[in-house]
């Protein structure tokens, strides 16, 4: 490999963990292949400063405005944030002038993508969803390489520069935890159901689980990630709803979780109940864990429903629409999966087949190759 001093790779995309943590996974792979690369993360805020520091990624502040799919006065005020972001990206990309830009999409990437196009900086994009978002549609014409997570997304992109790579997953989540039950403080006497609504939680899922505890806890241990703002409320509500207080010893509640805890849970859990964020689905797949997927309704999120059904078609999960769901239907589906060893094993096998453990390395190799080409010009 030709060593180019000061190879610069810019990363952009954020607003949620589903955008940010795949960037971190790719940065880890870049560090493995090319340790001396200079890495820069562009965004309105750091999202997770510890992760940026761990990989020596320089944070570059660049504002961005969000365009919501519902009426909000912020849709008007955020126009000015986007304009400010364009000017910030114009100046900061000129000063840094990276050899390649990797975008994970999301509203935070738009100003940087526009200015990368202006400066003719090579762009690589990755689309996590089965139906691309606005940022990916914006960049697809001038991107050098497009990585996609779902085969169905290929219909939206030029075939000659699109590759099915899956989702880049952090090492800490991929690595099997040696003693997950001990680390979590959870007994091994019964199957564990892991419930997660994503990094911010999901109030509707929280309510479904709370109203199912009396049926679930006699048979299962439930580990429930509620979101940071709902943890206390969920604990208090569970104490009021469950008459047999001894059962609550099998109910574990966390507002947020770090990567090690998530890895331990994916390793220990027998079943995962989740929203349809792509990063979470691919993390579940890596551990071969059957899942029940409850997508955010389509009038709120354009991508989760299509993600859910794309994943379910593999056989790794079942989809339950939030609008039709009741605690009784949820517990019935849990018992159906857990009570049928043949079905359970088939779902687990399908999940492992769906997993893409090399996605981060594949994208990192593309970025480094383009950066070498650009830097030698």
């Amino acid at each position: 490999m030709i060593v180019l001093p000061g190879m610069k790779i810019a990363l952009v995309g954020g607003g949620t963990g589903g955008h940010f943590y795949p960037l971190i996974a790719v940065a880890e792979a870049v560090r493995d292949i090319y340790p001396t690369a200079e890495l820069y993360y562009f965004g309105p805020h750091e999202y997770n400063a510890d992760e940026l520091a761990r990989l020596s990624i320089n944070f570059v502040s660049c504002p961005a405005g969000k365009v919501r799919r519902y009426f909000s006065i912020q849709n008007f005020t955020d126009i000015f944030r986007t304009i400010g972001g364009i000017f910030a990206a114009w100046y900061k990309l000129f000063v840094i002038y990276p050899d390649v830009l990797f975008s994970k999409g999301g509203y935070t990437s738009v100003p940087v993508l526009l200015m990368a196009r202006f400066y003719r900086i090579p762009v690589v994009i990755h689309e996590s969803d089965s139906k691309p978002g606005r940022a990916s549609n914006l960049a697809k014409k001038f991107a050098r390489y497009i990585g996609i997570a779902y085969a169905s997304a290929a219909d939206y992109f030029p075939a000659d520069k699109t590759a099915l790579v899956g989702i880049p997953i952090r090492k800490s989540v991929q690595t099997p935890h040696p003693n997950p039950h001990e680390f979590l403080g959870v007994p091994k006497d019964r199957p564990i159901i892991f419930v997660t609504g994503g990094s911010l939680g999901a109030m509707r899922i929280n309510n479904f689980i709370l109203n199912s505890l009396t049926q679930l806890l006699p048979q299962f241990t439930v580990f429930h990630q509620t979101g940071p703002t709902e943890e206390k409320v969920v604990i208090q509500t569970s104490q009021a709803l469950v008459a047999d207080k001894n059962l609550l010893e099998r109910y574990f509640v966390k507002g947020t979780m770090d990567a090690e805890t998530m890895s331990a849970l994916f390793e220990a859990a027998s079943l995962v109940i989740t929203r349809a964020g792509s990063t979470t689905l691919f993390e579940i797949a890596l551990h071969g864990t059957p899942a029940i997927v409850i997508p955010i309704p389509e009038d709120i999120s354009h991508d989760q429903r299509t993600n859910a059904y794309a994943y379910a078609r593999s056989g790794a999960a079942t989809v339950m629409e939030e609008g039709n769901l009741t605690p009784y239907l949820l517990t019935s589906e849990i018992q159906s999966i857990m009570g049928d060893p043949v079905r359970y094993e088939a779902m687990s096998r399908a999940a492992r087949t769906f997993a893409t453990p090399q996605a981060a390395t594949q994208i990192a190799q593309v970025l480094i190759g383009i950066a070498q080409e650009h830097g030698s010009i």
Side-chain angles (χ1 to χ4, degrees):
M1 178 179 290
I2 299 172
V3 176
L4 299 174
M7 177 190 287
K8 297 177 181 179
I9 298 176
L11 311 170
V12 67
T16 67
H19 287 115
F20 180 81
Y21 289 116
L23 290 175
I24 293 298
V26 171
E28 288 176 333
V30 169
R31 285 277 177 251
D32 287 343
I33 301 169
Y34 201 108
T36 60
E38 296 178 31
L39 301 180
Y40 299 85
Y41 172 65
F42 285 72
H45 52 82
E46 293 173 296
Y47 194 83
N48 187 327
D50 292 340
E51 286 290 87
L52 296 180
R54 178 175 67 85
L55 292 165
S56 299
I57 302 173
N58 303 287
F59 172 62
V60 182
S61 178
C62 187
K66 184 176 183 180
V67 179
R68 296 156 186 83
R69 294 178 180 273
Y70 51 87
F71 175 79
S72 171
I73 192 65
Q74 289 179 292
N75 284 336
F76 300 99
T77 58
D78 276 9
I79 291 173
F80 298 100
R81 289 193 181 92
T82 299
I83 294 171
I86 290 171
F87 280 105
W90 172 78
Y91 173 71
K92 292 177 181 181
L93 281 176
F94 176 78
V95 172
I96 298 169
Y97 204 78
D99 295 299
V100 62
L101 170 70
F102 177 48
S103 170
K104 268 302 289 118
Y107 71 95
T108 63
S109 68
V110 171
V112 184
L113 283 169
L114 289 172
M115 287 300 98
R117 173 64 168 166
F118 176 78
Y119 285 121
R120 299 185 181 276
I121 295 167
V123 169
V124 171
I125 66 174
H126 181 269
E127 177 52 62
S128 292
D129 297 315
S130 57
K131 183 178 179 181
R134 294 187 181 102
S136 293
N137 280 324
L138 170 70
K140 66 183 180 183
K141 291 183 180 179
F142 58 85
R144 285 278 302 273
Y145 179 95
I146 302 167
I148 57 175
Y150 299 93
S152 57
D155 296 338
Y156 298 92
F157 296 109
D160 60 334
K161 55 184 179 180
T162 301
L164 178 63
V165 298
I167 297 281
I169 305 295
R170 291 168 289 166
K171 290 180 182 179
S172 56
V173 178
Q174 287 202 47
T175 305
H177 201 287
N179 298 296
H181 291 82
E182 181 179 332
F183 174 79
L184 295 167
V186 177
K188 299 181 179 180
D189 60 340
R190 61 193 66 241
I192 296 173
I193 297 173
F194 174 32
V195 183
T196 175
S199 58
L200 299 179
M203 188 179 298
R204 293 294 303 277
I205 291 181
N206 291 349
N207 290 335
F208 286 129
I209 295 301
L210 284 168
N211 287 291
S212 304
L213 288 177
T214 301
Q215 288 73 45
L216 294 176
L217 292 178
Q219 303 174 64
F220 308 105
T221 293
V222 177
F223 207 113
H224 188 176
Q225 187 251 318
T226 63
T229 62
E230 295 294 309
E231 182 177 359
K232 290 183 179 179
V233 173
V234 167
I235 291 173
Q236 292 169 354
T237 305
S238 68
Q239 291 170 345
L241 289 175
V242 179
D244 184 352
K245 304 308 177 190
N246 292 325
L247 290 177
L248 290 174
E249 294 178 359
R250 302 167 187 168
Y251 183 49
F252 297 79
V253 179
K254 289 275 189 182
T256 58
M257 297 178 185
D258 58 24
E260 186 176 10
T261 303
M262 291 290 287
S263 177
L265 275 164
F266 286 136
E267 195 70 19
S270 297
L271 179 70
V272 180
I273 299 172
T274 181
R275 286 298 198 191
S278 287
T279 299
T280 300
L281 294 180
F282 276 80
E283 288 174 349
I284 293 167
L286 276 169
H287 292 81
T289 310
I292 295 173
V293 183
I294 306 171
I296 297 173
E298 200 161 32
D299 59 341
I300 299 174
S301 171
H302 79 286
D303 51 19
Q304 286 228 348
R305 190 170 184 270
T306 52
N307 289 350
Y309 283 102
Y311 186 58
R313 281 193 293 272
S314 72
T318 60
V319 177
M320 304 193 79
E321 299 274 8
E322 184 177 292
N324 303 324
L325 193 57
T326 66
Y328 172 77
L329 289 174
L330 181 61
T331 55
S332 295
E333 185 63 15
I334 292 169
Q335 290 164 348
S336 174
I337 294 170
M338 297 302 297
D340 185 341
V342 175
R343 181 186 181 193
Y344 185 92
E345 180 56 34
M347 292 178 74
S348 179
R349 189 166 53 250
R352 293 188 186 280
T353 301
F354 194 86
T356 55
Q358 297 303 314
T361 299
Q362 187 171 342
I363 293 171
Q365 289 171 338
V366 170
L367 291 172
I368 290 169
I370 293 175
Q372 287 179 321
E373 174 191 323
H374 188 248
S376 64
I377 295 174

